[in-house]
Amino acid sequence: MFKVFFNDRTVYFGDSFSRAFMKNKGLFYKYNNLEELNELLGVFSEVSYIRHLYIFHDDILLLIEEFKACFHYLEAGGGLVFNEKGEFLVIERNGVWDLPKGKLEKNEDFETGALREVEEETGLKDIQLISPVISTHHTYMLKKKRMLKKTKWFEMKYSGSAEPILQSEEGITDYRWVRPGETDFIRQNTYKSIMDVLYFRKLI
């Protein structure tokens, strides 16, 4: 099921209203039109005690495109970087544990953008892109505008020996190389989208 994170809350998309209704708790909405959807998202943004929103339509692809039309849409690339010891890199950005990532430049593909952003944010150079992991979607507000960002994540391998030189202007102040499974400190202070990446790769 396609999903989008609203900070620590989640919007899910599906094509079977009855099946989801029986299994889940939250606010359920069968898509009717774009204006109604836009109003619903405004309510969901304001009413924080509703943890999950389920939106349904027979045509999932159409539904996703209509949802995107309610936002300013951005694309980004990010990296799950492993060293020779099998440890992966996390960075502390604005006081929260994160993975290196950033917005794509004009006409830039995901692979190129992900490598560029990882190199810029960490200062590491000997990085090889290995394979795609997953894509995540999350929303945020910027200058009173609703933003929707898709981030495509890639597994990468760092074969160098230098320590990261962090991009402080991006709010990055610390880093750790982490052994898979030794992730309690990340769980306590990270984003749900980052947890999705780590769960998918079975690092949690």
Side-chain angles (χ1 to χ4, degrees):
M1 181 179 279
F2 183 80
K3 62 183 173 182
V4 175
F5 293 109
F6 275 61
N7 294 322
D8 61 342
R9 300 185 295 151
T10 314
V11 177
Y12 297 93
F13 302 81
D15 57 6
S16 177
F17 184 91
S18 59
R19 187 168 63 242
F21 187 83
M22 292 172 61
K23 294 182 178 180
N24 301 293
K25 294 181 179 180
L27 178 62
F28 294 80
Y29 168 67
K30 192 167 185 178
Y31 176 75
N32 184 34
N33 59 64
L34 183 59
E35 181 180 359
E36 194 173 272
L37 175 61
N38 200 36
E39 292 177 359
L40 175 66
L41 292 174
V43 172
F44 182 69
S45 297
E46 296 295 327
V47 184
S48 59
Y49 65 83
I50 301 175
R51 308 306 299 169
H52 305 295
L53 171 62
Y54 299 87
I55 306 175
F56 301 91
H57 192 272
D58 293 339
D59 187 338
I60 289 291
L61 294 179
L62 171 64
L63 177 57
I64 292 171
E65 290 304 311
E66 294 288 84
F67 180 84
K68 286 166 58 176
C70 298
F71 296 83
H72 294 269
Y73 182 69
L74 300 172
E75 294 180 325
L80 183 56
V81 184
F82 289 86
N83 62 18
E84 300 284 356
K85 299 178 182 178
E87 300 165 327
F88 66 93
L89 179 67
V90 296
I91 57 175
E92 189 175 33
R93 187 199 311 269
N94 299 322
V96 180
W97 290 109
D98 201 352
L99 297 172
K101 65 181 185 302
K103 292 181 290 186
L104 303 185
E105 295 181 350
K106 186 176 181 180
N107 299 322
E108 189 174 43
D109 60 43
F110 282 102
E111 292 84 354
T112 302
L115 272 173
R116 177 185 54 77
E117 284 291 341
V118 169
E119 291 177 352
E120 290 177 358
E121 293 197 342
T122 68
L124 301 178
K125 298 300 180 185
D126 299 316
I127 300 175
Q128 178 185 3
L129 191 149
I130 303 301
S131 61
V133 183
I134 61 171
S135 294
T136 60
H137 298 77
H138 74 277
T139 71
Y140 59 97
M141 296 296 294
L142 180 65
K143 298 179 180 179
K144 297 183 179 181
K145 294 180 180 179
R146 288 186 198 153
M147 312 299 293
L148 173 62
K149 181 185 287 185
K150 172 185 177 179
T151 303
K152 192 167 184 176
W153 298 95
F154 297 88
E155 182 174 330
M156 301 180 185
K157 184 175 182 180
Y158 174 57
S159 56
S161 57
E163 291 301 312
I165 301 174
L166 303 177
Q167 193 176 25
S168 59
E169 59 266 33
E170 290 293 326
I172 305 170
T173 55
D174 198 6
Y175 75 92
R176 294 189 197 180
W177 290 104
V178 185
R179 292 181 181 178
E182 298 182 0
T183 54
D184 284 349
F185 75 97
I186 302 174
R187 291 169 181 258
Q188 295 169 13
N189 186 27
T190 193
Y191 304 104
K192 283 197 169 185
S193 57
I194 299 301
M195 290 294 290
D196 256 20
V197 178
L198 301 183
Y199 272 125
F200 187 88
R201 196 50 181 71
K202 300 181 179 178
L203 299 173
I204 297 290

